Amino acid sequence: MTVSLVLMAALMAGIALWLFRQSLHVRPWVAESGPGRSVPAPMTAPRTGLGVFLAVVTSVFSLTISAYLMRREMGTDWRSLAVPGVLWLNSALLVLASLALQRAWRAAGHGQEGRLRRALLAGGGLTLAFVAGQGVAWGQLEAAGYYLSANPANAFFYLLTVLHALHLLGGLVAWGRVLVRARSGVPAAQLRPSIELCALYWHFLLLVWVVILGLVLAT
């Protein structure tokens, strides 16, 4: 059983890294200047803003995880909680959501507006299903007696997973704006920069989720 869990976590980590590699292959920072030629594209304000925001989010999660590890070593009151099985289904949903947004990004680059809209809808729907599934996991834990105030491990699990879900919900605001523009007939080429930012944000949060899930499994 333990080996299976490790293999599943490793598979999700591999998918997340593959998505980032695919994103790098798109090379959004390079603009074509002619046949066989390319020049560096200017760093836009949205890209810079996303980079700064991801740096801040990384710091927040890093500090929280550091506190998690330090608190775990501080006393004998730490009791690891049981990992709800629904977390594996939720993980698969988040992987599929990232894949869908990656597909939307590619569709925007090829001017495939119908495919773009379908991929956007799939990405948002799968993300909402992930967040709903997290709610199910929290309910299952409470029903089993793993209350927020009962144990430091419980409190940190709820903190990390709620914080992650809130960041996804915030991303859905940006996703919703892109979807409205796509359904109103805005050309795919104009939507591509916004979809690019959404895809990168989802890939980042997928990696964060893999770290959180791996941390819970390891402890």
Side-chain angles (χ1 to χ4, degrees):
M1 181 64 175
T2 302
V3 174
S4 299
L5 294 178
V6 171
L7 289 175
M8 290 177 71
L11 176 62
M12 284 191 297
I15 292 173
L17 290 173
W18 177 82
L19 282 168
F20 263 112
R21 188 174 181 180
Q22 291 297 108
S23 300
L24 290 175
H25 285 169
V26 176
R27 298 189 298 174
W29 55 87
V30 173
E32 295 295 330
S33 60
R37 299 177 57 194
S38 64
V39 297
M43 181 60 71
T44 62
R47 288 174 186 163
T48 302
L50 178 64
V52 172
F53 180 70
L54 292 186
V56 173
V57 174
T58 300
S59 298
V60 170
F61 278 104
S62 296
L63 290 172
T64 306
I65 290 172
S66 297
Y68 175 100
L69 296 173
M70 292 172 60
R71 182 62 183 85
R72 188 189 63 178
E73 302 298 328
M74 284 180 60
T76 58
D77 58 341
W78 187 276
R79 297 289 184 273
S80 298
L81 49 76
V83 178
V86 72
L87 289 185
W88 293 107
L89 173 60
N90 296 349
S91 300
L93 291 172
L94 190 57
V95 168
L96 291 174
S98 281
L99 287 170
L101 287 171
Q102 181 71 23
R103 186 176 182 181
W105 186 3
R106 285 184 172 274
H110 291 87
Q112 300 170 333
E113 296 178 358
R115 183 179 175 187
L116 182 157
R117 288 191 291 269
R118 291 192 296 271
L120 272 179
L121 281 170
L126 289 164
T127 302
L128 287 171
F130 170 85
V131 175
Q134 294 296 79
V136 172
W138 300 327
Q140 289 179 350
L141 286 172
E142 288 195 356
Y146 294 98
Y147 301 110
L148 177 67
S149 58
N151 185 274
N154 301 355
F156 271 103
F157 175 82
Y158 286 116
L159 174 61
L160 285 168
T161 54
V162 169
L163 191 61
H164 180 263
L166 288 174
H167 279 86
L168 275 174
L169 290 174
L172 283 173
V173 175
W175 164 85
R177 292 176 178 174
V178 177
L179 181 62
V180 169
R181 294 176 64 201
R183 300 190 71 174
S184 65
V186 176
Q190 295 182 25
L191 294 172
R192 185 180 180 184
S194 299
I195 296 174
E196 169 198 326
L197 299 181
C198 286
L200 291 174
Y201 185 65
W202 256 254
H203 300 345
F204 170 80
L205 287 179
L206 174 58
L207 279 177
V208 171
W209 174 245
V210 169
V211 171
I212 293 173
L213 184 60
L215 185 67
V216 173
L217 292 174
T219 55

